[in-house]
Amino acid sequence: MASLQASLPSISAIWSSFPDSSSINSASIVTLTSSPANDRRIRRRLWCKAMVQQAVQGAPAAYAKEMERLSAKESLLLAFKDAGGFEALVAGKTTNMQQIDVNERITGLERLNPTPRPTTSPFLEGRWNFEWFGSGSPGFFVARFIFERFPPTLANLSNMDVVIKDGKANITANFKLLNLIESKFSFSTKLLVEGPLRLKEEYIEGILESPTVIEETIPEQLKGAFNQAVTTVQQLPAPIRDAISGGLRIPLSGTFQRLFMISYLDEEILIIRDASGIPEVLTRLDPPSSPIEEPITEYES
């Protein structure tokens, strides 16, 4: 009994060396109760917390990037309007300042491209309207074809569009002569996928369609001559009449091809650049296809 009482001060001294229970923090508890199972649970909680923080932080970043992309699209369309649109472009009336402004906005939108494999994307197919093009594009080729045959004071290239479907493209240019006669020049091409961004375009055939007279715009003094001409054409032999109505066909196979890359594609805007880096910008005219998983395609070398 005496020895037990003698040991009590020593035990009290040892107990007093531990901190007060109220001051023990969670880290101390973890250390005191450490075990493999507890360690796994702690690591799992920390991992889940990191994933939640990453998701919370990533959502605002993705939203901000999408808002930046939409703003860049609106800015580019506004630049087209300020430059005078398609009519000013084909007539050569855009200034150097307007051209550099448009090109700057094109570059700004390209870096926000949301489609990593545009050549096999379902968004590529559809009907597109040409908004901007350079000297190496089909738009420039059509404009040169028309204006070399008709003075700019007589001919007006009103618009140009392209239909892309099943690896083929059909480009149509609509123009007027003297604001009285409408006609179309179209040509078909074959598109070969050579990579996730690159396509090769081979021209197949061009067609200059028979002109159509806008009867409402014919002056009264010319309507008699117009009716007489229509009657004469209707009296021609069927083969000749069919040939006239079918238009002038120009074979282009093996004469012209080009390489280009798609630098931007979404459901509304398509931007491509040819081998010299000159951009073409097109806007969609029809509703886009429903987004589906892109097929795995083997590219041609």
Side-chain angles (χ1 to χ4, degrees):
M1 185 69 178
S3 61
L4 178 60
Q5 290 176 348
S7 65
L8 287 177
S10 301
I11 296 175
S12 301
I14 295 173
W15 181 255
S16 63
S17 65
F18 286 97
D20 184 67
S21 60
S22 61
S23 64
I24 299 177
N25 56 26
S26 58
S28 302
I29 295 175
V30 171
T31 303
L32 292 173
T33 60
S34 176
S35 69
N38 285 337
D39 289 345
R40 285 195 297 270
R41 282 195 292 268
I42 293 170
R43 285 195 297 269
R44 191 180 302 115
R45 291 194 197 101
L46 293 175
W47 180 82
C48 293
K49 181 179 180 181
M51 293 297 294
V52 170
Q53 289 176 342
Q54 183 178 2
V56 172
Q57 293 171 358
Y63 177 79
K65 185 174 182 180
E66 180 65 11
M67 291 300 100
E68 182 184 8
R69 187 177 70 86
L70 295 177
S71 177
K73 286 172 61 173
E74 294 298 327
S75 177
L76 178 58
L77 296 176
L78 181 61
F80 290 149
K81 184 177 179 181
D82 292 341
F86 183 83
E87 294 78 8
L89 179 65
V90 298
K93 295 180 180 180
T94 54
T95 66
N96 290 336
M97 182 62 70
Q98 290 170 337
Q99 292 178 13
I100 197 66
D101 182 52
V102 169
N103 286 322
E104 182 180 2
R105 295 168 196 254
I106 290 174
T107 303
L109 183 59
E110 285 174 324
R111 67 181 180 83
L112 301 170
N113 178 33
T115 309
R117 297 162 57 96
T119 56
T120 55
S121 170
F123 286 142
L124 181 60
E125 294 194 342
R127 186 167 173 237
W128 299 88
N129 183 60
F130 282 84
E131 300 283 355
W132 190 264
F133 54 82
S135 58
S137 70
F140 182 81
F141 174 78
V142 172
R144 185 177 64 181
F145 177 86
I146 293 174
F147 294 134
E148 282 181 353
R149 287 154 180 79
F150 307 100
T153 55
L154 301 180
N156 175 33
L157 182 60
S158 55
N159 70 289
M160 191 168 65
D161 61 68
V162 58
V163 176
I164 301 175
K165 183 71 174 177
D166 298 331
K168 295 181 180 179
N170 189 67
I171 303 165
T172 302
N174 300 280
F175 63 96
K176 291 182 180 181
L177 299 174
L178 296 172
N179 288 326
L180 297 176
I181 303 174
E182 289 183 338
S183 187
K184 294 181 181 180
F185 181 72
S186 62
F187 49 97
S188 57
T189 69
K190 181 180 180 181
L191 301 176
L192 302 174
V193 176
E194 295 200 336
L197 303 177
R198 189 174 65 189
L199 289 168
K200 181 167 73 172
E201 187 174 35
E202 298 178 349
Y203 289 72
I204 300 173
E205 183 183 52
I207 302 176
L208 180 60
E209 296 187 7
S210 298
T212 302
V213 178
I214 308 174
E215 298 187 29
E216 294 79 7
T217 61
I218 299 176
E220 289 294 333
Q221 59 270 28
L222 297 179
K223 285 189 176 181
F226 169 73
N227 293 331
Q228 184 178 357
V230 171
T231 302
T232 302
V233 171
Q234 291 174 347
Q235 293 175 350
L236 292 172
I240 299 177
R241 188 170 66 247
D242 294 341
I244 294 175
S245 62
L248 175 64
R249 294 181 176 270
I250 306 170
L252 298 174
S253 297
T255 60
F256 185 64
Q257 66 180 25
R258 67 168 184 159
L259 291 170
F260 65 87
M261 61 170 287
I262 300 176
S263 57
Y264 182 91
L265 174 66
D266 65 13
E267 69 280 4
E268 295 176 329
I269 291 181
L270 167 64
I271 303 177
I272 67 176
R273 288 185 180 268
D274 62 14
S276 60
I278 298 176
E280 300 171 30
V281 183
L282 302 89
T283 55
R284 185 180 294 277
L285 291 174
D286 58 357
S289 304
S290 57
I292 58 176
E293 185 178 354
E294 296 180 10
I296 303 299
T297 304
E298 292 191 7
Y299 308 120
E300 296 188 9
S301 58

